Amino acid sequence: MQLTDEQKKEIDQARLSNFETRRPTVSELEEIMFKPLPVLDHGFVRIIDYMGDDAAIVQAARVSYGKGTTKVSDDAGLLNYLLRHRHSTPFEMCEIKYHIKLPIFIARQWIRHRTANVNEYSARYSVLDREFYIPDQVNLATQSKSNRQGRGEVLEGKEAAAVLDLLRDDAENNYNHYVEMLNEDESGHIIDETRDGLSRELARMNLTLNTYTQWYWKIDLHNLLHFLSLRADEHAQYEIRVYAEAIMETVKRWCPITYDAFIDHRINSVTLSGKAIQVIKKMIDGVSIDQEESGLSKREWRELMGVLEKLD
């Protein structure tokens, strides 16, 4: 991840700012305010603003006028109860705003979560930077044979090298043509005064999807936890999962009690269907049962067996 001198100066100035406030603040989160947390090769996540904390969730749940109970254990018990029983409204009282730099193809996957406020860098107004996501070789893989939206075996040797060359060459060539069509460089300066360039809103169509974009993303804690439960999952695409993992670390600082409850009741928990529960009951009773007898589909059976293997 590279920042320009101007960007570094802007971040330093923001971090030097100090405001008096009567609203709750979280010292652990304040420590990393505005700091870019590196993700992938050129991406980052950084916190711009936030509202609320663990106590605010408790306060909203109890509709109280102060900080709620004085015992942390009481607050932890309530927060665990709320998450365990999926009471979402109190968590919506906390909000956080991020500045995120990410490849366009991940942004298009990310934007499917329609529960946030988003303002993206405008390629109609500005020239996009010459920055592209090029995966590490260990993250190049074949198409999974069992999952249409997953990866299989890691590509190695000449085949992997050829793919990386194609990704770099195509991104560079398309960006060069983008600049040529615009007739302006990355700073917006005219290249050839004797000709007109294509409009930015049209020239951008030539860019590859591994080009980086940026946006401000504001979301409440309830919807953020839902996002993380999907995108921090081990089955999520690697390139979006690493962003989710970076955001998880910010949530851990922001609302540590809620974070622990989330890990316990979402990340490290499983949901079982009624049929799956019946299968487990029979297994506990010593009854031998296979997939055909279970009433579960082959995929459901594989998933259940995967859960049981983790318990060994």
Side-chain angles (χ1 to χ4, degrees), residues 122-126 178 182 198-206:
S122 175
R124 294 183 70 195
Y125 184 81
S126 303
Y178 167 67
L182 287 173
L198 186 66
S199 68
R200 292 172 181 175
E201 69 177 19
L202 289 173
R204 61 181 173 168
M205 76 174 82
N206 201 54

Side-chain angles (χ1 to χ4, degrees), residues 55-68 78 82 89-90 93:
I57 302 166
V58 171
Q59 181 181 348
R62 294 196 169 112
V63 197
S64 62
Y65 292 97
K67 287 189 175 181
L78 177 56
L82 294 172
T89 306
M93 301 300 164

Side-chain angles (χ1 to χ4, degrees), residues 31 44 58 82 139-140 147 238 251 253 264 298:
E31 287 180 6
F44 61 70
V58 171
L82 294 172
N139 292 316
L140 294 178
N147 184 346
Y238 166 78
V251 174
R253 286 173 174 265
D264 191 24
K298 290 182 179 179

Side-chain angles (χ1 to χ4, degrees), residues 93-110:
M93 301 300 164
C94 291
E95 292 192 342
I96 192 164
K97 179 164 61 178
Y98 295 98
H99 176 195
I100 299 167
K101 183 177 180 182
L102 68 172
I104 291 173
F105 75 100
I106 293 302
R108 298 302 159 254
Q109 185 180 43
W110 193 312

Side-chain angles (χ1 to χ4, degrees), residues 70-173:
T70 56
K71 293 183 180 179
V72 174
S73 59
D74 290 344
D75 288 356
L78 177 56
L79 289 168
N80 273 271
Y81 176 87
L82 294 172
L83 261 174
R84 188 166 65 251
H85 293 279
R86 300 183 182 275
H87 293 294
S88 59
T89 306
F91 297 100
E92 294 174 2
M93 301 300 164
C94 291
E95 292 192 342
I96 192 164
K97 179 164 61 178
Y98 295 98
H99 176 195
I100 299 167
K101 183 177 180 182
L102 68 172
I104 291 173
F105 75 100
I106 293 302
R108 298 302 159 254
Q109 185 180 43
W110 193 312
I111 203 67
R112 295 182 65 189
H113 295 267
R114 300 182 298 275
T115 52
N117 304 113
V118 185
N119 191 43
E120 186 174 0
Y121 185 96
S122 175
R124 294 183 70 195
Y125 184 81
S126 303
V127 179
L128 285 170
D129 294 331
R130 187 189 290 266
E131 288 185 317
F132 322 109
Y133 168 60
I134 305 298
D136 290 333
Q137 185 172 322
V138 293
N139 292 316
L140 294 178
T142 62
Q143 177 64 43
S144 170
K145 292 181 171 59
S146 60
N147 184 346
R148 293 184 180 180
Q149 59 177 8
R151 303 181 189 187
E153 298 297 320
V154 174
L155 284 179
E156 296 179 348
K158 292 182 179 179
E159 193 169 358
V163 168
L164 290 173
D165 286 342
L166 285 171
L167 288 172
R168 291 191 194 94
D169 292 346
D170 286 353
E172 285 289 348
N173 288 337

Side-chain angles (χ1 to χ4, degrees), residues 5 13 55 72 82 137 171 173 224 261 294 302:
D5 290 339
Q13 287 177 340
V72 174
L82 294 172
Q137 185 172 322
N173 288 337
L224 177 58
S294 69
R302 284 198 306 270

Side-chain angles (χ1 to χ4, degrees), residues 152-215:
E153 298 297 320
V154 174
L155 284 179
E156 296 179 348
K158 292 182 179 179
E159 193 169 358
V163 168
L164 290 173
D165 286 342
L166 285 171
L167 288 172
R168 291 191 194 94
D169 292 346
D170 286 353
E172 285 289 348
N173 288 337
N174 281 37
Y175 192 91
N176 288 337
H177 293 155
Y178 167 67
V179 168
E180 183 179 345
M181 287 187 286
L182 287 173
N183 192 30
E184 55 182 323
D185 62 21
E186 297 164 54
S187 300
H189 299 132
I190 300 299
I191 297 171
D192 184 351
E193 296 286 353
T194 65
R195 69 180 181 89
D196 293 325
L198 186 66
S199 68
R200 292 172 181 175
E201 69 177 19
L202 289 173
R204 61 181 173 168
M205 76 174 82
N206 201 54
L207 293 168
T208 53
L209 291 179
N210 62 338
T211 305
Y212 273 86
T213 185
Q214 301 181 41
W215 61 30

